[in-house]
């Protein structure tokens, strides 16, 4: 993020916290599509993602006074949205969090060259096809960059459970990639 963009975001946040509707509209326009995509990654349901995006933006507006310019406004909005989505999933009991105490065997690891041959839309479909809990943990760890400790606290699980579920998600994705490559090698 450039220094100019950082300063613009700080000013935008200040204006929003003062109730400036033009600033709120600008912030919404700037980040709503990104927040929708983030929500959709977790719930894999367009209508629910739309609702969660709107709820996230309302929460951003309601709590913008808590934003501290130690990081980007986008990162702060992301954290607000992720927390809201996780709370929604926990309350709606859409995640089945069962501790996994299995040894983690070696898994097929797709080569980078193989992954590059797969269209991005197909890779996103593979992630979307993961069961809810695995998809949430995969997104939190691999996309958002949360640690297993953070994930465990957010979801009310043990760190080992987070790690195990991430392993299972990666295992399932690796299998999907291998199947895709095998299917498309003969074409």
């Amino acid at each position: 993020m450039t220094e100019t963009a950082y300063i613009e975001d700080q000013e935008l946040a200040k204006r929003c916290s003062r109730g400036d509707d033009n600033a709120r509209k600008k912030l919404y326009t700037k980040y709503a599509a990104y927040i929708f995509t983030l929500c959709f990654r977790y719930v894999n349901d367009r209508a629910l993602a739309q609702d969660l995006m709107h709820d996230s933006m309302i929460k951003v507006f309601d709590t913008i006074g808590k934003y501290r310019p130690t990081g980007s406004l986008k990162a702060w909005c992301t954290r607000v949205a992720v927390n809201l989505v996780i709370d929604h999933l926990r309350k709606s009991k859409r995640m089945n969090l069962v501790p996994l105490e299995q040894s983690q065997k070696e898994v097929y690891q797709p080569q980078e060259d193989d992954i590059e041959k797969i269209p991005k839309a197909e890779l996103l479909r593979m992630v979307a096809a993961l069961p809810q809990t695995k998809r949430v943990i995969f997104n939190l760890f691999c996309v958002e960059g949360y640690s297993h400790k953070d994930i465990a606290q957010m979801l009310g699980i043990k760190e080992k459970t987070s790690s195990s579920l991430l392993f299972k998600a990666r295992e399932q994705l690796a299998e999907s990639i291998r199947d895709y490559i095998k299917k498309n090698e003969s074409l």
Side-chain angles (χ1 to χ4, degrees), residues 5 9 18 22 31 35-36 40 45 55 60-61 66-67 77 82 97 121 134 137 140-141 147 160 164 166 170 183:
D9 272 358
R18 291 191 297 252
N22 288 328
Y31 294 120
I35 297 297
F36 169 79
F40 186 75
D45 176 316
D55 291 348
V60 163
F61 296 141
K66 294 180 181 179
Y67 166 68
C77 291
V82 167
L97 297 171
K134 291 178 187 174
I137 290 174
L140 287 170
F141 188 87
S147 68
K160 187 170 183 169
S164 295
L166 177 63
R170 286 181 167 165
K183 179 181 169 187

Side-chain angles (χ1 to χ4, degrees), residues 6 8 13 27 35 37 54 62 67 71 74 78-79 84-85 90 96 105 123-124 139 144 150 158 161 164 178-179 183:
Y6 180 73
E8 287 174 7
L27 185 125
I35 297 297
T37 303
H54 284 296
D62 288 347
Y67 166 68
K74 182 178 182 181
T78 297
R79 186 156 187 97
L84 188 129
V85 170
R90 193 178 312 125
N96 182 20
K105 63 181 191 289
L123 287 171
L124 292 173
N139 282 320
E144 308 300 335
D150 292 337
K158 295 179 181 176
T161 301
S164 295
R178 183 171 54 192
D179 291 347
K183 179 181 169 187

Side-chain angles (χ1 to χ4, degrees), residues 5-164:
Y6 180 73
I7 291 169
E8 287 174 7
D9 272 358
Q10 285 181 322
E11 183 58 32
L12 185 60
K14 284 179 191 174
R15 289 176 45 214
C16 286
S17 69
R18 291 191 297 252
D20 182 332
D21 286 336
N22 288 328
R24 288 178 176 174
K25 182 178 179 183
K26 186 174 181 179
L27 185 125
Y28 187 92
T29 302
K30 189 172 185 178
Y31 294 120
Y34 170 77
I35 297 297
F36 169 79
T37 303
L38 179 144
C39 293
F40 186 75
R41 267 198 324 263
Y42 285 90
V43 298
N44 199 28
D45 176 316
R46 286 195 168 297
L48 180 55
Q50 187 77 27
D51 289 345
L52 290 168
M53 181 271 297
H54 284 296
D55 291 348
S56 295
M57 295 306 294
I58 290 168
K59 182 139 186 159
V60 163
F61 296 141
D62 288 347
T63 60
I64 194 85
K66 294 180 181 179
Y67 166 68
R68 298 292 171 254
T70 55
S72 75
L73 183 58
K74 182 178 182 181
W76 185 81
C77 291
T78 297
R79 186 156 187 97
V80 169
V82 167
N83 288 338
L84 188 129
V85 170
I86 296 302
D87 285 347
H88 168 80
L89 292 172
R90 193 178 312 125
K91 288 175 185 171
S92 66
K93 309 223 186 284
R94 291 184 66 176
M95 291 193 304
N96 182 20
L97 297 171
V98 178
L100 298 176
E101 302 293 333
Q102 300 176 358
S103 64
Q104 297 179 352
K105 63 181 191 289
E106 271 304 304
V107 166
Y108 163 75
Q109 292 294 321
Q111 299 301 308
E112 197 169 319
D113 293 347
D114 290 337
I115 294 173
E116 289 174 4
K117 294 175 190 173
I118 301 173
K120 184 178 179 180
E122 184 62 24
L123 287 171
L124 292 173
R125 188 201 59 74
M126 290 175 190
V127 172
L130 289 171
Q132 180 79 47
T133 305
K134 291 178 187 174
R135 184 173 61 246
V136 167
I137 290 174
F138 179 85
N139 282 320
L140 287 170
F141 188 87
C142 296
V143 179
E144 308 300 335
Y146 287 97
S147 68
H148 286 298
K149 182 178 180 177
D150 292 337
I151 295 168
Q153 288 175 339
M154 291 169 89
L155 302 179
I157 59 176
K158 295 179 181 176
E159 286 181 52
K160 187 170 183 169
T161 301
S162 175
S163 176
S164 295

